[in-house]
Amino acid sequence: MNDAGTKDQERPEHGRGGTYTVKGQEFVRDSRYITTRITRDGADGYPVEPGRYRLIAARACPWANRAIIVRRLLGLEDAISLGLPGPTHDERSWTFDLDPGGKDPVLGIERLQEAYFRREPGYPRGITVPAIVDTRDGAVVTNDFAQITLDLSTEWTAFHRDGAPRLVPDDPDERAEMDSVMRRVYTEVNNGVYRCGFAGSQEAYDAAYARLWTALDWLEERLATRRYLMGDRITEADVRLFTTLVRFDAVYHGHFKCNRNKLSEMPVLWAYARDLFQTPGFGDTVDFVQIKQHYYVVHTDINPTQIVPQGPDLSGWLTEHGRDELGGKPWGDGGTPPPPVRDDERVAPGHNPLYPAEA
């Protein structure tokens, strides 16, 4: 029971967090994960080993999109394979409906739930992406989305491409600052849009809305004088903010009622987001069609008709951003952009302005 004396509502939310609870009409995300780590020393029983693990990460999901971006920026495509569930799911699980026969070609399963059950029969929490699966036994190793990307940066260094950026700073003070920035981005922005969208009362929504826009105004100010969140180069913090910003006008502005402004009406954040979108490894991972299908079809409590909007116009993502005037070295000293996306991992034509519809 919640403080108001009414029963808390628990709902499935498979994108990340398993389930969420509306406590006193406020959205509270379940943060219980499988926290096993893949490390160089194999302390948890899972050593870094190229070819052994498969990243399952739906393009529709912002939390999974992070892992896709980091894997690409670091050049880990040959070390860790990628499985892509479709954009919609039922209450049981994400499904591999985009693959021939509706099965993941490596794991041979129809539902990601099967990999969770191989790790823990009857796994009681939500079936979330991203998840890393051990191809030896088909069981999930971890779905701890925040730790997954940090470990790709710090534990898989032997398999990074030449010129890979250093997304996690070595300097302790810079790392502490980045962690602080990422905590605020997560609580107020990444999760803040969900807090607005799934609020169960006007009061809860009003409070969530105020928190979100306080944070976005803070980011607008922070990024006015620096090209990236931590200064002159791309870090993990930018990856984490980008996946929310790129979904903002297409989904969060209307679907989640985050409608004080569109992203395209915030000069600094809009230019920053376009800068990243046009940077190899960011925009080329984004599938706007799948993003809209996921939110507008799956969230039937918010959008019971399941009608997917046609807009917004996406051509603005390719317009000049002017952020290079702030200088900086996006990839750090000696770093280089990743090579073009391999053919079998490209976003479908027409799903992204970088990949126009085929004539």
Side-chain angles (χ1 to χ4, degrees), residues 32-96:
R32 295 169 294 173
Y33 310 108
I34 300 172
T35 57
T36 309
R37 293 176 61 194
I38 300 169
T39 56
R40 280 173 289 186
D41 62 8
D44 286 357
Y46 293 94
V48 167
E49 186 177 328
R52 176 173 172 177
Y53 305 102
R54 186 160 177 82
L55 171 65
I56 305 301
R59 292 193 188 277
C61 170
W63 320 98
N65 196 178
R66 295 181 183 186
I68 296 172
I69 291 171
V70 170
R71 172 180 173 269
R72 173 151 159 65
L73 294 178
L74 299 177
L76 290 170
E77 291 94 335
D78 289 334
I80 305 171
S81 64
L82 178 64
L84 296 167
T88 62
H89 56 71
D90 57 23
E91 293 185 358
R92 290 173 58 194
S93 176
W94 294 89
T95 56
F96 295 97

Coordinates of all heavy atoms in Angstrom, one line a residue, residues 32-96:
R32 N 16.6 -3.3 -9.9 CA 17.3 -4.6 -9.6 C 17.7 -5.3 -10.9 O 16.9 -5.6 -11.7 CB 16.3 -5.5 -8.8 CG 16.0 -4.9 -7.4 CD 14.8 -5.7 -6.8 NE 13.6 -5.6 -7.6 CZ 12.5 -6.3 -7.4 NH1 12.5 -7.2 -6.4 NH2 11.4 -6.1 -8.1
Y33 N 19.0 -5.5 -11.0 CA 19.6 -6.1 -12.2 C 20.4 -7.4 -11.9 O 20.7 -7.6 -10.7 CB 20.5 -5.1 -12.9 CG 19.9 -3.8 -13.1 CD1 20.3 -2.7 -12.4 CD2 18.8 -3.6 -14.0 CE1 19.7 -1.4 -12.5 CE2 18.2 -2.4 -14.2 CZ 18.7 -1.3 -13.4 OH 18.1 -0.1 -13.6
I34 N 20.7 -8.1 -12.9 CA 21.7 -9.1 -12.8 C 23.1 -8.4 -13.0 O 23.5 -8.0 -14.0 CB 21.5 -10.2 -13.9 CG1 20.1 -10.8 -13.9 CG2 22.6 -11.3 -13.9 CD1 19.8 -11.7 -15.0
T35 N 23.8 -8.3 -11.9 CA 25.0 -7.5 -11.8 C 26.3 -8.2 -12.1 O 27.4 -7.6 -11.8 CB 25.0 -6.7 -10.5 OG1 25.1 -7.7 -9.4 CG2 23.8 -5.8 -10.3
T36 N 26.2 -9.4 -12.5 CA 27.5 -10.1 -12.9 C 28.2 -9.3 -13.9 O 27.6 -8.7 -14.9 CB 27.1 -11.5 -13.5 OG1 26.2 -12.2 -12.6 CG2 28.4 -12.3 -13.7
R37 N 29.6 -9.3 -13.8 CA 30.4 -8.5 -14.7 C 31.3 -9.4 -15.6 O 31.7 -10.5 -15.1 CB 31.2 -7.5 -14.0 CG 30.4 -6.4 -13.3 CD 31.3 -5.5 -12.5 NE 32.3 -4.8 -13.3 CZ 33.4 -4.2 -12.9 NH1 33.6 -4.1 -11.6 NH2 34.2 -3.6 -13.7
I38 N 31.6 -8.9 -16.8 CA 32.6 -9.6 -17.6 C 33.8 -8.7 -17.5 O 33.9 -7.6 -17.9 CB 32.1 -9.6 -19.1 CG1 30.8 -10.4 -19.2 CG2 33.2 -10.2 -20.0 CD1 30.1 -10.2 -20.6
T39 N 34.9 -9.3 -17.0 CA 36.1 -8.6 -16.6 C 37.3 -9.3 -17.1 O 37.3 -10.5 -17.4 CB 36.2 -8.4 -15.1 OG1 36.2 -9.7 -14.5 CG2 35.1 -7.5 -14.6
R40 N 38.4 -8.6 -17.2 CA 39.7 -9.2 -17.7 C 40.1 -10.3 -16.8 O 40.6 -11.3 -17.3 CB 40.8 -8.1 -17.7 CG 40.7 -7.2 -18.9 CD 41.7 -6.1 -18.8 NE 41.3 -5.1 -17.8 CZ 41.9 -3.9 -17.6 NH1 43.0 -3.6 -18.3 NH2 41.4 -3.1 -16.7
D41 N 39.9 -10.2 -15.5 CA 40.3 -11.3 -14.6 C 39.3 -12.4 -14.4 O 39.5 -13.4 -13.7 CB 40.8 -10.7 -13.2 CG 39.6 -10.0 -12.5 OD1 38.5 -10.0 -12.9 OD2 39.9 -9.3 -11.4
G42 N 38.1 -12.1 -14.9 CA 37.0 -13.1 -14.8 C 36.6 -13.4 -13.4 O 36.2 -14.5 -13.1
A43 N 36.7 -12.4 -12.5 CA 36.4 -12.6 -11.1 C 35.0 -13.1 -10.9 O 34.7 -13.8 -9.9 CB 36.6 -11.2 -10.4
D44 N 34.0 -12.7 -11.7 CA 32.6 -13.2 -11.6 C 32.4 -14.5 -12.3 O 31.2 -14.9 -12.4 CB 31.6 -12.1 -12.0 CG 31.5 -11.0 -11.0 OD1 32.2 -11.0 -9.9 OD2 30.8 -10.0 -11.3
G45 N 33.4 -15.1 -12.9 CA 33.2 -16.3 -13.7 C 33.1 -16.1 -15.2 O 32.9 -17.0 -15.9
Y46 N 33.2 -14.8 -15.6 CA 33.0 -14.5 -17.0 C 34.1 -13.6 -17.5 O 34.1 -12.4 -17.4 CB 31.6 -13.8 -17.2 CG 30.4 -14.7 -17.0 CD1 29.8 -14.7 -15.7 CD2 29.9 -15.5 -18.0 CE1 28.7 -15.5 -15.5 CE2 28.9 -16.3 -17.7 CZ 28.2 -16.3 -16.5 OH 27.2 -17.1 -16.3
P47 N 35.2 -14.2 -18.0 CA 36.3 -13.4 -18.5 C 36.1 -12.8 -19.8 O 35.3 -13.3 -20.6 CB 37.5 -14.5 -18.5 CG 36.7 -15.8 -18.9 CD 35.4 -15.7 -18.1
V48 N 36.8 -11.7 -20.1 CA 36.7 -11.1 -21.4 C 37.3 -12.1 -22.4 O 38.3 -12.7 -22.2 CB 37.6 -9.8 -21.4 CG1 37.8 -9.4 -22.9 CG2 36.9 -8.7 -20.6
E49 N 36.5 -12.4 -23.4 CA 36.8 -13.4 -24.4 C 36.1 -13.1 -25.7 O 34.9 -13.2 -25.8 CB 36.4 -14.8 -23.9 CG 36.9 -15.9 -24.8 CD 36.5 -17.3 -24.2 OE1 36.5 -17.4 -23.0 OE2 36.3 -18.2 -25.0
P50 N 36.9 -12.6 -26.7 CA 36.2 -12.3 -28.0 C 35.5 -13.4 -28.6 O 36.0 -14.6 -28.6 CB 37.4 -11.8 -28.9 CG 38.6 -12.4 -28.3 CD 38.3 -12.6 -26.8
G51 N 34.3 -13.1 -29.1 CA 33.5 -14.2 -29.8 C 32.6 -15.0 -28.9 O 31.7 -15.7 -29.4
R52 N 32.7 -14.8 -27.6 CA 32.0 -15.6 -26.7 C 30.6 -15.0 -26.3 O 29.6 -15.8 -26.1 CB 32.7 -15.8 -25.4 CG 32.0 -16.6 -24.3 CD 32.9 -16.9 -23.1 NE 32.1 -17.4 -22.0 CZ 32.6 -17.9 -20.8 NH1 33.9 -17.8 -20.7 NH2 31.8 -18.3 -19.9
Y53 N 30.5 -13.7 -26.3 CA 29.3 -13.0 -25.8 C 28.5 -12.3 -26.9 O 29.1 -11.9 -27.9 CB 29.7 -12.0 -24.7 CG 30.5 -12.6 -23.6 CD1 31.9 -12.4 -23.6 CD2 29.9 -13.4 -22.6 CE1 32.6 -13.0 -22.5 CE2 30.6 -13.9 -21.6 CZ 32.0 -13.7 -21.6 OH 32.7 -14.3 -20.5
R54 N 27.2 -12.2 -26.7 CA 26.3 -11.6 -27.7 C 25.5 -10.5 -26.9 O 24.9 -10.7 -25.9 CB 25.4 -12.6 -28.3 CG 24.5 -12.0 -29.4 CD 24.0 -13.2 -30.3 NE 23.0 -12.8 -31.3 CZ 23.4 -12.3 -32.5 NH1 24.7 -12.1 -32.8 NH2 22.6 -12.0 -33.5
L55 N 25.6 -9.3 -27.5 CA 24.9 -8.1 -26.9 C 23.5 -8.1 -27.6 O 23.4 -8.0 -28.8 CB 25.6 -6.8 -27.2 CG 24.9 -5.5 -26.9 CD1 24.7 -5.4 -25.4 CD2 25.7 -4.3 -27.5
I56 N 22.5 -8.2 -26.8 CA 21.1 -8.1 -27.2 C 20.6 -6.7 -26.9 O 20.5 -6.3 -25.7 CB 20.2 -9.2 -26.6 CG1 20.8 -10.6 -26.8 CG2 18.8 -9.1 -27.2 CD1 21.0 -11.0 -28.3
A57 N 20.3 -5.9 -27.9 CA 20.1 -4.5 -27.7 C 19.1 -4.0 -28.8 O 19.5 -3.7 -29.9 CB 21.4 -3.7 -27.8
A58 N 17.9 -3.8 -28.4 CA 16.9 -3.2 -29.4 C 17.2 -1.8 -29.7 O 17.4 -1.0 -28.8 CB 15.5 -3.4 -28.7
R59 N 17.1 -1.5 -31.0 CA 17.3 -0.1 -31.4 C 16.3 0.9 -30.8 O 16.6 2.1 -30.6 CB 17.3 0.0 -32.9 CG 18.5 -0.7 -33.6 CD 18.5 -0.2 -35.1 NE 19.5 -1.0 -35.9 CZ 20.8 -0.8 -35.9 NH1 21.3 0.2 -35.2 NH2 21.6 -1.5 -36.7
A60 N 15.1 0.4 -30.5 CA 14.1 1.3 -30.0 C 14.3 1.8 -28.6 O 13.9 2.9 -28.3 CB 12.7 0.5 -30.0
C61 N 15.1 1.1 -27.8 CA 15.3 1.4 -26.4 C 16.4 2.3 -26.2 O 17.6 2.0 -26.6 CB 15.5 0.1 -25.7 SG 16.0 0.3 -24.0
P62 N 16.3 3.4 -25.5 CA 17.4 4.4 -25.2 C 18.5 3.7 -24.4 O 19.7 4.1 -24.6 CB 16.7 5.5 -24.5 CG 15.5 4.9 -23.8 CD 15.0 3.9 -24.8
W63 N 18.1 2.9 -23.4 CA 19.2 2.3 -22.6 C 20.0 1.3 -23.4 O 21.2 1.2 -23.2 CB 18.5 1.6 -21.4 CG 17.3 2.3 -20.9 CD1 16.0 2.2 -21.2 CD2 17.4 3.5 -20.0 NE1 15.2 3.1 -20.5 CE2 16.0 3.9 -19.8 CE3 18.4 4.1 -19.3 CZ2 15.7 5.0 -18.9 CZ3 18.1 5.2 -18.5 CH2 16.8 5.6 -18.3
A64 N 19.4 0.6 -24.3 CA 20.1 -0.4 -25.2 C 20.9 0.4 -26.2 O 22.0 0.0 -26.6 CB 19.1 -1.3 -25.8
N65 N 20.3 1.5 -26.7 CA 21.0 2.3 -27.7 C 22.4 2.8 -27.2 O 23.4 2.9 -28.0 CB 20.1 3.5 -28.1 CG 20.5 4.2 -29.4 OD1 19.9 5.2 -29.8 ND2 21.6 3.8 -30.0
R66 N 22.5 3.0 -25.9 CA 23.8 3.4 -25.4 C 24.9 2.3 -25.7 O 26.0 2.6 -26.0 CB 23.7 3.5 -23.8 CG 22.8 4.6 -23.3 CD 22.9 4.5 -21.8 NE 22.1 5.5 -21.2 CZ 22.1 5.7 -19.9 NH1 22.9 5.0 -19.1 NH2 21.2 6.6 -19.3
A67 N 24.5 1.1 -25.4 CA 25.4 0.0 -25.6 C 25.8 -0.2 -27.1 O 27.0 -0.5 -27.4 CB 24.9 -1.3 -25.0
I68 N 24.9 0.0 -28.0 CA 25.1 -0.1 -29.4 C 26.1 1.0 -29.8 O 27.1 0.7 -30.5 CB 23.8 0.0 -30.2 CG1 22.9 -1.1 -29.9 CG2 24.2 0.1 -31.7 CD1 21.5 -1.0 -30.5
I69 N 26.0 2.2 -29.3 CA 26.9 3.3 -29.6 C 28.3 3.0 -29.1 O 29.3 3.2 -29.8 CB 26.3 4.6 -29.0 CG1 25.1 5.1 -29.8 CG2 27.4 5.7 -29.1 CD1 24.3 6.2 -29.1
V70 N 28.4 2.7 -27.8 CA 29.7 2.4 -27.2 C 30.4 1.3 -27.9 O 31.6 1.4 -28.2 CB 29.6 2.2 -25.7 CG1 30.9 1.7 -25.1 CG2 29.1 3.4 -25.0
R71 N 29.7 0.2 -28.2 CA 30.3 -0.9 -28.9 C 30.9 -0.4 -30.3 O 32.0 -0.8 -30.7 CB 29.3 -2.0 -29.2 CG 29.7 -3.1 -30.1 CD 28.5 -4.1 -30.2 NE 28.7 -5.2 -31.2 CZ 28.4 -5.1 -32.5 NH1 27.8 -4.0 -32.9 NH2 28.6 -6.1 -33.3
R72 N 30.1 0.4 -31.0 CA 30.6 0.9 -32.3 C 31.8 1.9 -32.1 O 32.7 1.9 -32.9 CB 29.4 1.6 -33.0 CG 29.8 2.3 -34.3 CD 28.7 2.3 -35.3 NE 28.9 3.3 -36.3 CZ 29.9 3.4 -37.2 NH1 30.9 2.5 -37.2 NH2 30.0 4.4 -38.0
L73 N 31.7 2.9 -31.2 CA 32.7 3.8 -31.0 C 34.1 3.1 -30.7 O 35.1 3.6 -31.1 CB 32.4 4.8 -29.9 CG 31.2 5.8 -30.1 CD1 31.0 6.6 -28.9 CD2 31.4 6.7 -31.3
L74 N 34.0 2.1 -29.9 CA 35.2 1.4 -29.5 C 35.7 0.3 -30.5 O 36.8 -0.2 -30.3 CB 35.0 0.7 -28.1 CG 34.6 1.7 -26.9 CD1 34.4 0.9 -25.7 CD2 35.7 2.7 -26.7
G75 N 34.9 0.0 -31.5 CA 35.3 -0.9 -32.5 C 35.2 -2.4 -32.0 O 36.1 -3.2 -32.4
L76 N 34.2 -2.7 -31.2 CA 34.1 -4.0 -30.6 C 33.2 -5.0 -31.4 O 32.8 -6.0 -31.0 CB 33.6 -4.0 -29.2 CG 34.6 -3.4 -28.2 CD1 33.9 -3.1 -26.9 CD2 35.8 -4.3 -28.0
E77 N 32.9 -4.6 -32.7 CA 32.0 -5.4 -33.5 C 32.5 -6.8 -33.7 O 31.6 -7.8 -33.7 CB 31.8 -4.8 -34.9 CG 31.0 -3.5 -34.8 CD 31.9 -2.2 -34.7 OE1 33.0 -2.4 -34.3 OE2 31.4 -1.1 -35.1
D78 N 33.8 -7.0 -33.9 CA 34.3 -8.4 -34.1 C 34.4 -9.2 -32.8 O 34.5 -10.4 -32.8 CB 35.6 -8.4 -34.8 CG 35.5 -7.9 -36.2 OD1 34.5 -8.1 -36.8 OD2 36.5 -7.4 -36.7
A79 N 34.5 -8.4 -31.6 CA 34.7 -9.1 -30.4 C 33.4 -9.5 -29.7 O 33.3 -10.5 -29.0 CB 35.4 -8.2 -29.4
I80 N 32.3 -8.7 -29.9 CA 31.0 -9.0 -29.3 C 29.9 -8.8 -30.4 O 29.7 -7.8 -31.0 CB 30.7 -8.0 -28.2 CG1 31.8 -8.0 -27.1 CG2 29.3 -8.3 -27.5 CD1 31.7 -6.8 -26.1
S81 N 29.2 -9.9 -30.7 CA 28.2 -9.9 -31.7 C 27.0 -9.1 -31.2 O 26.8 -8.9 -30.0 CB 27.8 -11.3 -32.2 OG 27.2 -12.0 -31.2
L82 N 26.1 -8.7 -32.2 CA 24.9 -7.9 -31.8 C 23.7 -8.6 -32.3 O 23.5 -9.0 -33.5 CB 25.1 -6.6 -32.5 CG 23.9 -5.6 -32.3 CD1 23.8 -5.2 -30.9 CD2 24.1 -4.3 -33.2
G83 N 22.7 -8.8 -31.4 CA 21.4 -9.3 -31.7 C 20.4 -8.2 -31.5 O 20.5 -7.4 -30.5
L84 N 19.4 -8.0 -32.4 CA 18.5 -6.9 -32.5 C 17.1 -7.4 -32.4 O 16.5 -7.7 -33.5 CB 18.8 -6.1 -33.7 CG 20.1 -5.4 -33.8 CD1 20.4 -4.8 -35.2 CD2 20.2 -4.3 -32.8
P85 N 16.4 -7.4 -31.3 CA 15.0 -7.6 -31.2 C 14.2 -6.6 -31.9 O 14.7 -5.4 -32.2 CB 14.7 -7.6 -29.7 CG 16.0 -7.7 -29.0 CD 17.0 -7.1 -29.9
G86 N 13.0 -6.9 -32.3 CA 12.1 -5.9 -32.9 C 11.7 -4.8 -31.9 O 11.9 -4.9 -30.7
P87 N 11.0 -3.8 -32.4 CA 10.7 -2.6 -31.6 C 9.5 -2.8 -30.6 O 9.3 -2.0 -29.7 CB 10.3 -1.5 -32.6 CG 9.8 -2.3 -33.8 CD 10.6 -3.5 -33.8
T88 N 8.7 -3.8 -30.8 CA 7.5 -4.0 -30.0 C 7.6 -5.4 -29.2 O 8.3 -6.3 -29.7 CB 6.2 -4.0 -30.7 OG1 6.2 -5.0 -31.7 CG2 6.0 -2.6 -31.4
H89 N 6.9 -5.5 -28.1 CA 6.9 -6.7 -27.4 C 5.6 -6.8 -26.6 O 4.9 -5.8 -26.5 CB 8.1 -6.7 -26.4 CG 8.2 -5.6 -25.5 ND1 7.3 -5.4 -24.4 CD2 9.1 -4.5 -25.5 CE1 7.6 -4.2 -23.8 NE2 8.7 -3.7 -24.4
D90 N 5.4 -8.0 -26.0 CA 4.2 -8.1 -25.1 C 4.7 -8.1 -23.7 O 5.8 -7.8 -23.4 CB 3.5 -9.4 -25.5 CG 4.3 -10.7 -25.4 OD1 5.4 -10.6 -24.7 OD2 4.0 -11.7 -26.0
E91 N 3.9 -8.5 -22.8 CA 4.2 -8.5 -21.4 C 5.3 -9.5 -21.0 O 5.9 -9.4 -19.9 CB 3.0 -8.7 -20.5 CG 2.0 -7.5 -20.6 CD 0.8 -7.7 -19.6 OE1 0.8 -8.7 -18.9 OE2 0.0 -6.7 -19.5
R92 N 5.5 -10.5 -21.9 CA 6.5 -11.5 -21.5 C 7.9 -11.1 -21.9 O 8.8 -11.3 -21.1 CB 6.1 -12.8 -22.3 CG 4.9 -13.5 -21.8 CD 4.5 -14.7 -22.7 NE 5.6 -15.6 -22.8 CZ 5.6 -16.6 -23.7 NH1 4.7 -16.7 -24.6 NH2 6.6 -17.4 -23.8
S93 N 8.1 -10.5 -23.1 CA 9.5 -10.4 -23.5 C 9.6 -9.7 -24.8 O 8.7 -9.6 -25.6 CB 10.1 -11.8 -23.7 OG 11.4 -11.8 -24.2
W94 N 10.8 -9.2 -25.0 CA 11.3 -8.7 -26.4 C 11.4 -10.0 -27.2 O 11.7 -11.1 -26.8 CB 12.6 -8.1 -26.3 CG 12.7 -6.8 -25.6 CD1 12.9 -6.6 -24.3 CD2 12.5 -5.5 -26.2 NE1 12.9 -5.3 -24.0 CE2 12.7 -4.5 -25.1 CE3 12.3 -5.0 -27.4 CZ2 12.6 -3.2 -25.3 CZ3 12.2 -3.6 -27.6 CH2 12.3 -2.7 -26.6
T95 N 11.1 -9.9 -28.5 CA 11.1 -11.0 -29.4 C 12.0 -10.7 -30.6 O 12.2 -9.5 -31.0 CB 9.7 -11.3 -29.9 OG1 9.1 -10.2 -30.5 CG2 8.8 -11.8 -28.8
F96 N 12.5 -11.7 -31.3 CA 13.4 -11.6 -32.4 C 12.6 -11.7 -33.8 O 13.0 -12.4 -34.7 CB 14.5 -12.6 -32.4 CG 15.4 -12.4 -31.2 CD1 15.2 -13.2 -30.0 CD2 16.4 -11.5 -31.2 CE1 16.0 -13.0 -28.9 CE2 17.2 -11.3 -30.1 CZ 17.0 -12.0 -28.9

